[in-house]
Amino acid sequence: MMVGLRFGVEYVDVEACWTREGRNAFYSLVKKTHRGTRIIASYHAVQRPVSAISDSDLCAIFRECARAPPDAPVDIVKVVGKAETAQCSIRINQAAITVQSAMPSSVVRVARWWRSTSLVMSVCVMCLCVQV
């Protein structure tokens, strides 16, 4: 990631599996030294289907991704889940909307993308986009 930052990438995608302290330190570094770079905080829940994750856990995933120090806010929260049916995608969308309403006013929109990986299974990506 540091090489990408030196070359002036526009976005850096940081996995939520990093420790909170590690993420916060990296976010602060990015915002202080590479001001034009936007931070995507992501979580990939593809090991099990979205149907196996409770609504409250989906909301908690979005909230954890959005946590950042006040001086280095996250620009985009991306949650990727394995969707077995359209209902899984709807649940992730609902979780994003629920969390968005509880977020600070910097959250401006929810964007979504679906990418089919087979006839039976698809991957659902939900992003909360925030202003810098």
Side-chain angles (χ1 to χ4, degrees):
M1 276 200 237
M2 297 308 292
V3 172
L5 287 170
R6 280 189 226 119
F7 280 100
V9 296
E10 293 180 36
Y11 295 88
V12 62
D13 191 333
V14 179
E15 289 283 338
C17 64
W18 290 21
T19 65
R20 191 176 296 169
E21 295 79 21
R23 288 190 320 248
N24 289 347
F26 185 73
Y27 297 162
S28 293
L29 173 76
V30 169
K31 293 296 183 177
K32 286 178 187 167
T33 61
H34 301 84
R35 294 186 185 207
T37 301
R38 293 184 182 240
I39 297 171
I40 301 170
S42 64
Y43 182 88
H44 294 81
V46 294
Q47 297 78 19
R48 58 189 174 140
V50 172
S51 60
I53 304 171
S54 71
D55 291 343
S56 62
D57 285 346
L58 285 173
C59 290
I61 289 168
F62 276 102
R63 281 192 292 276
E64 181 59 33
C65 287
R67 287 196 181 161
D71 65 327
V74 167
D75 299 296
I76 298 171
V77 172
K78 177 180 74 173
V79 175
V80 179
K82 183 164 66 170
E84 297 173 313
T85 67
Q87 184 61 32
C88 292
S89 297
I90 291 167
R91 286 186 57 239
I92 279 197
N93 186 44
Q94 287 304 114
I97 290 168
T98 298
V99 171
Q100 181 185 21
S101 66
M103 289 285 192
S105 60
S106 59
V107 176
V108 294
R109 69 184 182 276
V110 175
R112 61 186 172 266
W113 295 269
W114 287 273
R115 181 175 61 86
S116 292
T117 57
S118 73
L119 293 175
V120 180
M121 181 177 22
S122 65
V123 174
C124 177
V125 178
M126 295 303 297
C127 297
L128 291 177
C129 301
V130 300
Q131 291 178 329
V132 271

